[in-house]
Amino acid sequence: MVTPSSPFSFLDDFVNRVGSRLQPPDWVVHEVQHRAVLFLNHVLQQEPEAQQRLMRQQGRVVQFEWRFVTMKFVATPAGLLDLAPEDALSELTLAVTEESPFGLARAAFRGDKPPVRIEGDVQLAAEVNWLVDHVRWDVEDDLARVIGDVPAHTIATGAGRVVAALRQFVGERGGKAAGPAGPE
């Protein structure tokens, strides 16, 4: 019997072909990396405990890899992140092993962490894991600064319901994909 393939397999193949051929210019990569650092620092500033933990790791370099994307972060004395120099030696490498962007999105909607290969310092890996587990972006608070508390709360509540429905849908679809167990 032929196993049905995912409807996203075509899109995964397309993303792989296009991604391997089209490489953005270095200045675009640099700008995107700086924007990512600014966003991460914004989120970190909302959690004082996270900043305290990063202060203790100042000067240590963590390399993040996914497909053709590589970024090196260094912890600053202020308890924030900065881009590490390209020639800096990383003490910890975190490589996301899920190649498919749709697989990552599916895992995120289920509330799962993506599969990651970890190489390097165990204590630094534990600190990064703590940050991943405990630091969350307070979207409602940021939105309230722009449009006010009540509209921000309404939008956040509605978005939360949409995310919950998507998680339920993805969870149900994931259960159907596994199928019943065969006879033993």
Side-chain angles (χ1 to χ4, degrees):
M1 182 166 111
V2 176
T3 305
S5 64
S6 167
F8 295 113
S9 62
F10 167 76
L11 292 174
D12 282 336
D13 292 340
F14 178 75
V15 168
N16 286 335
R17 282 190 307 244
V18 170
S20 65
R21 290 188 183 128
L22 295 177
Q23 296 297 322
D26 288 341
W27 68 269
V28 171
V29 172
H30 190 69
E31 277 302 310
V32 169
Q33 288 178 342
H34 276 284
R35 301 287 184 229
V37 167
L38 287 172
F39 173 73
L40 290 172
N41 284 336
H42 171 73
V43 173
L44 287 168
Q45 287 175 331
Q46 296 174 353
E47 181 61 53
E49 175 65 22
Q51 287 184 270
Q52 291 297 321
R53 286 174 174 264
L54 277 174
M55 278 184 210
R56 293 191 298 259
Q57 304 300 327
Q58 79 178 35
R60 301 189 77 190
V61 177
V62 176
Q63 180 170 314
F64 169 81
E65 300 172 356
W66 180 62
R67 296 171 53 117
F68 50 85
V69 176
T70 301
M71 289 180 69
K72 288 184 182 181
F73 300 102
V74 61
T76 69
L80 299 172
L81 297 173
D82 198 1
L83 288 175
E86 288 185 29
D87 60 345
L89 295 176
S90 57
E91 297 175 53
L92 176 66
T93 300
L94 304 171
V96 177
T97 59
E98 173 62 62
E99 292 289 321
S100 168
F102 301 107
L104 285 176
R106 192 172 30 253
F109 279 122
R110 282 193 311 258
D112 298 338
K113 290 181 187 177
V116 176
R117 186 184 76 247
I118 302 169
E119 297 174 2
D121 186 274
V122 175
Q123 282 185 307
L124 185 55
E127 290 293 337
V128 170
N129 188 53
W130 186 93
L131 292 171
V132 170
D133 285 344
H134 293 90
V135 177
R136 296 287 176 263
W137 178 27
D138 189 351
V139 180
E140 184 176 341
D141 184 53
D142 283 348
L143 197 54
R145 292 181 193 149
V146 177
I147 63 173
D149 290 338
V150 175
H153 180 71
T154 304
I155 290 171
T157 301
R161 288 181 183 152
V162 169
V163 168
L166 284 172
R167 280 188 176 153
Q168 182 180 5
F169 175 75
V170 169
E172 289 173 1
R173 301 292 294 169
K176 290 179 183 175
E184 291 184 30

